[in-house]
Amino acid sequence: MAAAAHEPEVIRDKAVMRAWSRCRRAEGKAVALVPTMGFLHDGHLSLVSAAVAAAAGPVAVVVSIYVNPSQFAPTEDLATYPSDFAGDLRKLAATGAVAAVFCPPDLYVRGRAGHPAAGASGGAVSCLEDAGGHAHETWIRVEQLEKGLCGSSRPVFFRGVATVVSKLFNIVEPDIAVFGKKDYQQWRVICRMVRDLDFAIEIVGTEIVREADGLAMSSRNVHLSCEEREKALSISRSLMNARTAVLNGNNHGQQLKDEIVQTLKEAGGQVDYVEFQSLTFSLD
């Protein structure tokens, strides 16, 4: 995306964010939201480009940066999720297309000094961790689409995603929201939530962005050693081989799945699931 560098406004307060969006809309601009958890890469920046392209006229693009604790199980990597806020701001400024960055400290905080949910020091505490009767207890579930696939091994993930995305929608009040299809089930869950709950938001899905060698771009890739990164390439390579087989007329779905599983296991991977529709199989 070629544009002059433009430093986006950094907003941390929910009420300020909501007021900002309403001011932009009063100026005749659409508001487009790109939700992220930070540690941005070119895949994220492609979402910014898609947000600009999706608007029919003037648009104010908001990128949210928030590592959502409610989508992580206790055994997952919340504490080690990569972060580089200063670097993220530089990358977003370089696009010249981002008007604001929304980075709330905690979307689940409800405690305050003098309130029963406040911590011993009198400061705010996360209601996800508060057992004193003030815990966050309102969740959104997309009951059928969250089942199976990633939902089988991550039972709290889609509940957390749907809830935090709905919170972001209520705070930012976007006209457009952009999500990558790398997390395909997540994208489908959000589309269904928007439909079922009558959010007046256009949901845009963008295709996977890959490194030159085929590895799907991900913030967590930074944790991979050289050896692990090489092994991770077995994912895209096995999918490409299956795609080639389908294009050559092989519609034996179970055989193709078994071959993918075997390739991944030989590379040292632990396979949660392999699913695809052979007639519409695509690596994208």
Side-chain angles (χ1 to χ4, degrees), residues 26-255:
E27 295 170 352
K29 298 178 180 178
V31 176
L33 172 64
V34 178
T36 81
M37 295 206 301
F39 208 75
L40 305 181
H41 50 69
D42 285 349
H44 293 112
L45 301 183
S46 75
L47 303 182
V48 173
S49 298
V52 174
V59 61
V61 177
V62 179
V63 174
S64 64
I65 296 178
Y66 180 66
V67 181
N68 174 37
S70 69
Q71 70 191 59
F72 288 81
T75 57
E76 293 179 347
D77 60 342
L78 174 61
T80 59
Y81 194 85
S83 175
D84 179 15
F85 186 66
D88 290 345
L89 289 182
R90 287 193 297 271
K91 292 174 184 177
L92 295 175
T95 69
V98 178
V101 174
F102 179 49
C103 50
D106 190 349
L107 286 177
Y108 296 89
V109 166
R110 290 294 180 270
R112 59 186 183 275
H115 189 278
S121 63
V125 296
S126 172
C127 52
L128 286 177
E129 302 168 356
D130 169 37
H134 298 276
H136 184 90
E137 57 180 316
T138 303
W139 302 99
I140 293 178
R141 305 205 73 142
V142 181
E143 293 183 344
Q144 295 304 315
L145 282 179
E146 71 174 35
K147 294 179 179 178
L149 304 180
C150 292
S152 296
S153 59
R154 306 186 72 186
V156 304
F157 177 74
F158 291 113
R159 180 191 78 167
V161 167
T163 301
V164 81
V165 169
S166 68
K167 290 169 77 69
L168 289 169
F169 286 172
N170 285 328
I171 294 165
V172 180
E173 297 182 342
D175 303 288
I176 301 162
V178 186
F179 298 85
K181 292 183 184 177
K182 177 171 70 71
D183 301 302
Y184 183 77
Q185 188 177 10
Q186 171 180 284
W187 175 67
R188 289 290 305 276
V189 163
I190 291 167
C191 289
R192 184 61 55 85
M193 178 190 75
V194 166
R195 187 200 74 174
D196 290 353
L197 297 184
D198 296 309
F199 281 104
I201 301 170
E202 177 188 355
I203 302 299
V204 175
T206 66
E207 301 303 329
I208 296 173
V209 177
R210 296 182 180 275
E211 304 284 357
D213 59 7
L215 185 68
M217 290 187 179
S218 170
S219 299
R220 289 182 170 98
N221 287 351
V222 71
H223 292 315
L224 297 176
S225 66
C226 292
E227 181 182 1
E228 289 169 337
R229 194 185 186 287
E230 181 62 30
K231 290 180 177 180
L233 291 174
S234 64
I235 300 172
S236 58
R237 289 170 180 168
S238 63
L239 290 174
M240 179 62 79
N241 290 339
R243 179 179 185 273
T244 299
V246 170
L247 292 176
N248 289 334
N250 183 346
N251 285 321
H252 300 290
Q254 189 59 52
Q255 173 193 339

